[in-house]
Amino acid sequence: MVQHRIAVAARKGGVGKTTVACGLASVFAHLGHRVLVVDLDPQSNAGYVLGIDPTAPGTAELLSGILPTPLEAASGLYILPGGPKLTGHNIQASDPEDLADAVASLDYDVLIFDCPPGVEYLERLGLVAADVALVCTDAHPLAVVGAGRVLNELSLRQKKGRKGASRWALVLSKIDLRRSMDQALDQQLAKTYPSLKRLTVRQDAALAWAGAERMPLMQYDPNSKGAKDLQVVAEWVLNG
């Protein structure tokens, strides 16, 4: 089986990136894939919302040459927590390809790298280790600017022939079409990035409640709007 390596990134915080990463992981596990979430966020939010111990050894140890035991959040869904050790000097000094090397031999069908906002050396590790990138933005102007910076990084790496994601899409997250800014977002992004795939994850209380209850989304509410939107995202990742 082909392994899928997906980076979920957003240069601005609060746009729903971790919700997308964890929800997508739950969808893939529900489809029968063996999934590992690699949390690159020093806040370790992915581990928290998936209901495991977010302080357990995880990605920092992996990058230090030790393979900790991934924690099982649900059948087929595992996670390596993030944490403050990711801000350590040895991690900051990592080569951009170190994470790609560290996960090369891991036996999972899907690897999802939850990149942190505003920590570019950690985000770069995820983008370089991935073959697909999902760049999240909501309708806030600063989120759109942040997404643009991630897209520029992806384009520059590809033009230079560097290792990393070879295809990517924008994920418009927390979308509520009753709001005028949300109504205008897709049109704005279509004008700025006319050839780029745009995927939408609507505002849905089930996404927030799944995190609050610390349950994988497909266990909490597999028929929610958010779950259906993330199934479309998963379909694009698998089949383009």
Side-chain angles (χ1 to χ4, degrees):
M1 180 180 290
V2 176
Q3 186 185 71
H4 300 278
R5 290 172 285 121
I6 307 154
V8 183
R11 197 63 61 87
K12 182 181 179 300
V15 302
K17 173 189 59 59
T18 296
T19 299
V20 168
C22 293
L24 189 62
S26 181
V27 167
F28 278 121
H30 188 73
L31 291 171
H33 297 286
R34 184 174 160 84
V35 182
L36 176 66
V37 177
V38 179
D39 189 358
L40 285 160
D41 194 334
Q43 298 181 77
S44 204
N45 289 337
Y48 180 85
V49 301
L50 287 174
I52 56 90
D53 178 4
T55 67
T59 308
E61 284 73 13
L62 177 70
L63 287 165
S64 299
I66 303 167
L67 179 57
T69 302
L71 303 178
E72 186 172 17
S75 178
L77 174 51
Y78 299 83
I79 182 165
L80 287 174
K85 289 182 180 178
L86 287 168
T87 62
H89 176 72
N90 62 321
I91 305 296
Q92 293 187 44
S94 296
D95 184 274
E97 296 186 8
D98 278 356
L99 181 60
D101 294 341
V103 302
S105 62
L106 298 185
D107 184 22
Y108 293 88
D109 305 318
V110 179
L111 298 176
I112 296 179
F113 307 106
D114 185 24
C115 303
V119 189
E120 293 181 29
Y121 70 92
L122 292 172
E123 177 190 87
R124 188 170 296 115
L125 288 168
L127 296 178
V128 171
D131 48 36
V132 173
L134 299 171
V135 182
C136 299
T137 183
D138 61 14
H140 194 287
L142 294 180
V144 175
V145 170
R149 288 172 177 161
V150 179
L151 294 172
N152 285 339
E153 167 120 10
L154 288 164
S155 295
L156 284 172
R157 293 196 65 83
Q158 189 173 65
K159 287 176 182 176
K160 292 179 179 179
R162 301 279 173 81
K163 193 171 185 177
S166 59
R167 64 187 179 102
W168 48 85
L170 277 164
V171 177
L172 287 60
S173 66
K174 303 165 64 176
I175 296 301
D176 183 344
L177 292 178
R178 293 173 296 183
R179 298 188 293 243
S180 58
M181 287 185 73
D182 291 37
Q183 293 172 13
L185 180 62
D186 185 66
Q187 186 176 3
Q188 175 190 352
L189 294 175
K191 184 176 180 180
T192 306
Y193 306 104
S195 61
L196 194 57
K197 180 68 175 178
R198 301 180 305 283
L199 301 155
T200 298
V201 177
R202 291 168 287 179
Q203 181 86 32
D204 181 8
L207 294 171
W209 274 110
E213 296 291 335
R214 306 189 69 193
M215 292 178 62
L217 178 62
M218 298 303 282
Q219 289 185 0
Y220 182 79
D221 190 348
N223 297 311
S224 60
K225 288 187 299 184
K228 291 177 181 177
D229 290 343
L230 286 166
Q231 288 172 50
V232 174
V233 176
E235 174 67 22
W236 180 82
V237 169
L238 293 175
N239 300 313

